[in-house]
């Protein structure tokens, strides 16, 4: 595995992101976490072909992005990478064992409770459109998402963040909710829409978003 600079972590991202610069690929939460904690990072762009080749598979067993390399440490899974960044810098986890555990719980809730029905909906949307069951299945999947959003909305209520302060839990929850785009599902929950907008207003989010958009617009990272 090529080491660009052992002191500055290097992540991988799509050379050509299918999201067309919307910041929906999973390098985005990693970039956002780096920006929140003020850690510079490098990006190595990979094509779909390179992702499936042995060099990349050494870092990522499933041939995907993102990966994280820092010295001899190589990580994959955006959640694990974001958590690692949060644990090794201040700014994304509160002080206190219990408060930290609650923030991490929200991160897991984002990835393992909120995201799965959203992914089912997305994947059905582009893989099963021609199937006979498509029109019947989509509202069922939509209901499953809304059942989760309903509870999340109730829990957030009028608060700015899921716990007392912005944390890695909010970073991941907002990342996941962004996958709904400006869909009618999110619009049904004004407090969740405002929550996502609040996250997107953070200067760190804006820097991360601009960096991935620059790649979509043809800029290439410099070593
Ligand atoms: N669980 C892993 C993680 O969280 O890191 C999942 C990683 C993953 O899904 N990576 C995707 C990938 O490498 C890119 S982000 N796909 C290539 C492959 O599997 O061959 C998922 C993604 C892709 C596209 C959009 N989009 O176009 O909006 C959004 C999200």
């Amino acid at each position: 595995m090529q080491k660009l600079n052992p002191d500055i972590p290097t992540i991988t991202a799509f050379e050509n992101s299918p999201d067309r610069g919307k910041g929906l690929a999973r390098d985005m939460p990693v970039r956002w976490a780096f920006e929140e904690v003020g850690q510079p990072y490098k990006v190595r762009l990979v094509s779909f072909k390179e992702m499936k080749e042995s060099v990349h598979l050494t870092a990522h067993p499933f041939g995907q992005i993102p990966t994280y390399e820092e010295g001899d440490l190589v990580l994959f899974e955006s959640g694990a990478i974001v958590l690692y960044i949060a644990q090794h810098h201040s700014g994304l986890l509160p002080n206190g064992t219990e408060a930290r555990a609650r923030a991490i719980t929200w991160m897991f809730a984002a990835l393992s409770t909120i995201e799965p029905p959203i992914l089912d909906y997305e994947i059905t949307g582009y893989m099963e459109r021609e199937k006979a069951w498509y029109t019947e299945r989509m509202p069922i999947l939509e209901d499953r998402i809304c059942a989760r959003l309903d509870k999340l909305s109730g829990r957030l209520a009028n608060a700015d963040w899921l716990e007392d302060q912005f944390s890695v839990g909010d970073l991941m929850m907002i990342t996941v909710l962004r996958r709904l785009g400006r869909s009618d599902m999110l619009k049904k929950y004004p407090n969740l829409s405002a929550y996502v907008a609040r996250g997107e207003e953070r200067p760190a989010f804006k820097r991360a978003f601009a960096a991935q958009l620059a790649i979509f617009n043809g800029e290439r990272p410099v070593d």
Side-chain angles (χ1 to χ4, degrees):
M1 170 112 338
Q2 181 193 7
K3 300 277 178 356
L4 296 178
N5 182 333
D7 299 318
I8 298 186
T10 299
I11 64 166
T12 48
F14 279 134
E15 185 179 62
N16 285 307
S17 181
D19 75 352
R20 306 181 58 77
K22 292 196 184 75
L24 297 173
R26 291 176 195 260
D27 55 304
M28 182 63 199
V30 176
R31 292 171 180 275
W32 187 6
F34 277 136
E35 294 291 350
E36 287 285 349
V37 302
Q39 169 65 53
Y41 63 99
K42 289 179 178 282
V43 180
R44 187 168 64 249
L45 301 179
V46 286
S47 64
F48 276 94
K49 182 171 171 286
E50 284 165 335
M51 269 185 245
K52 309 301 172 197
E53 290 172 353
S54 59
V55 173
H56 189 73
L57 286 168
T58 309
H60 198 306
F62 308 112
Q64 296 184 309
I65 59 99
T67 58
Y68 173 106
E69 299 159 36
E70 184 192 9
D72 290 334
L73 177 67
V74 183
L75 300 174
F76 61 97
E77 283 297 331
S78 55
I81 297 169
V82 167
L83 183 57
Y84 181 81
I85 294 168
Q87 285 173 326
H88 290 83
H89 299 82
S90 58
L92 280 174
L93 284 171
N95 293 325
T97 311
E98 291 182 9
R100 288 169 89 88
R102 279 196 297 274
I104 293 168
T105 298
W106 280 116
M107 199 180 134
F108 276 86
L111 292 173
S112 60
T113 300
I114 303 292
E115 189 172 59
I118 295 176
L119 285 184
D120 278 351
Y121 182 84
E122 262 182 29
I123 292 166
T124 302
Y126 59 77
M127 299 285 286
E128 298 174 24
R129 198 168 281 272
E130 306 304 327
K131 304 289 184 192
W133 59 78
Y134 178 76
T135 48
E136 242 178 289
R137 182 159 157 76
M138 286 304 266
I140 295 170
L141 297 177
E142 195 167 324
D143 283 352
R144 269 192 216 149
I145 296 173
C146 290
R148 296 293 191 214
L149 296 185
D150 221 51
K151 295 285 184 281
L152 184 66
S153 169
R155 181 61 179 250
L156 181 67
N158 294 320
D160 280 354
W161 310 116
L162 289 164
E163 296 289 335
D164 294 343
Q165 63 188 76
F166 177 82
S167 79
V168 76
D170 297 298
L171 186 151
M172 201 51 85
M173 191 64 82
I174 290 165
T175 296
V176 166
L177 293 177
R178 288 189 72 247
R179 291 189 85 134
L180 291 169
R182 306 286 170 225
S183 81
D184 289 342
M185 278 182 270
L186 204 55
K187 280 190 204 140
K188 281 191 225 160
Y189 303 93
N191 68 334
L192 293 183
S193 300
Y195 173 59
V196 172
R198 208 174 292 123
E200 291 175 339
E201 274 307 305
R202 292 179 72 84
F205 177 93
K206 289 185 178 179
R207 288 193 296 273
F209 186 88
Q212 62 77 41
L213 182 61
I215 288 171
F216 174 70
N217 288 333
E219 276 180 39
R220 286 299 169 254
V222 282
D223 288 355

